[in-house]
Amino acid sequence: MLRSFLAGVFAATITFTGGALAQASGTAPEAKALLEKAVTAVKADEKKAIADFNNPTGGFRDRDLYVFCAGGADNVFTAHANEKLRGTKLADLVDKKGKKLGEELIKNAAEGKFVEVDYWFPRPGQTEPVEKVTYVTKAGGQICGVGYYK
């Protein structure tokens, strides 16, 4: 009986772990879909959208996918999963390898287009940068993006 119980627990652990590993990272199509949803939200009500993007339960975070935006004359982060980046200038963002990431995001953002920008950036809650690709666009008064990790 104990053997049967342990076998069941072991099987459940393998199933749970396997499912969790398979769902650990968002994909390129999921990142693009989340950005499309974000653009719709910004166009409907920019202030509410930014609040929702910054809220972990606001409907715009999925595993390691999240929406970030920057706006105003200085392109200051208005939304980001990393609270420390909010209020800082997007243009000042440089990746681990020295790429002027913020400047590239600003340069490539265009209304009605999703442009891919690749760089190195930590996953949410981590500090070690990994390869990442972000879709970036303009919506309303914001430059917004959603990235996925390779």
Side-chain angles (χ1 to χ4, degrees):
M1 182 146 160
L2 180 59
R3 183 179 292 180
S4 176
F5 171 76
L6 292 175
V9 169
F10 182 71
T13 302
I14 299 251
T15 302
F16 175 74
T17 303
L21 288 175
Q23 295 299 315
S25 293
T27 65
E30 290 168 333
K32 193 171 187 180
L34 185 57
L35 185 55
E36 289 169 349
K37 178 181 171 185
V39 167
T40 300
V42 168
K43 289 180 178 180
D45 185 339
E46 188 170 316
K47 188 175 180 179
K48 180 181 181 324
I50 296 301
D52 288 343
F53 301 160
N54 284 324
N55 180 348
T57 59
F60 289 90
R61 297 192 191 178
D62 178 14
R63 296 160 290 165
D64 59 359
L65 299 177
Y66 58 88
V67 176
F68 70 83
C69 293
D74 290 335
N75 289 313
V76 170
F77 277 107
T78 54
H80 201 287
N82 180 346
E83 293 178 19
K84 292 178 183 177
L85 285 176
R86 294 182 207 155
T88 65
K89 291 181 180 182
L90 175 60
D92 293 342
L93 198 60
V94 178
D95 80 358
K96 180 181 180 177
K97 297 190 176 198
K99 183 175 192 170
K100 294 182 179 183
L101 168 61
E103 291 178 10
E104 188 168 342
L105 291 168
I106 292 167
K107 180 180 83 179
N108 284 291
E111 189 89 29
K113 294 182 181 179
F114 287 11
V115 178
E116 292 183 18
V117 176
D118 63 318
Y119 54 100
W120 290 77
F121 203 79
R123 292 179 188 273
Q126 297 182 5
T127 57
E128 187 62 31
V130 294
E131 281 187 274
K132 185 173 185 178
V133 177
T134 286
Y135 291 106
V136 65
T137 192
K138 278 190 180 176
Q142 300 289 319
I143 293 172
C144 295
V146 175
Y148 63 94
Y149 296 87
K150 288 184 158 187

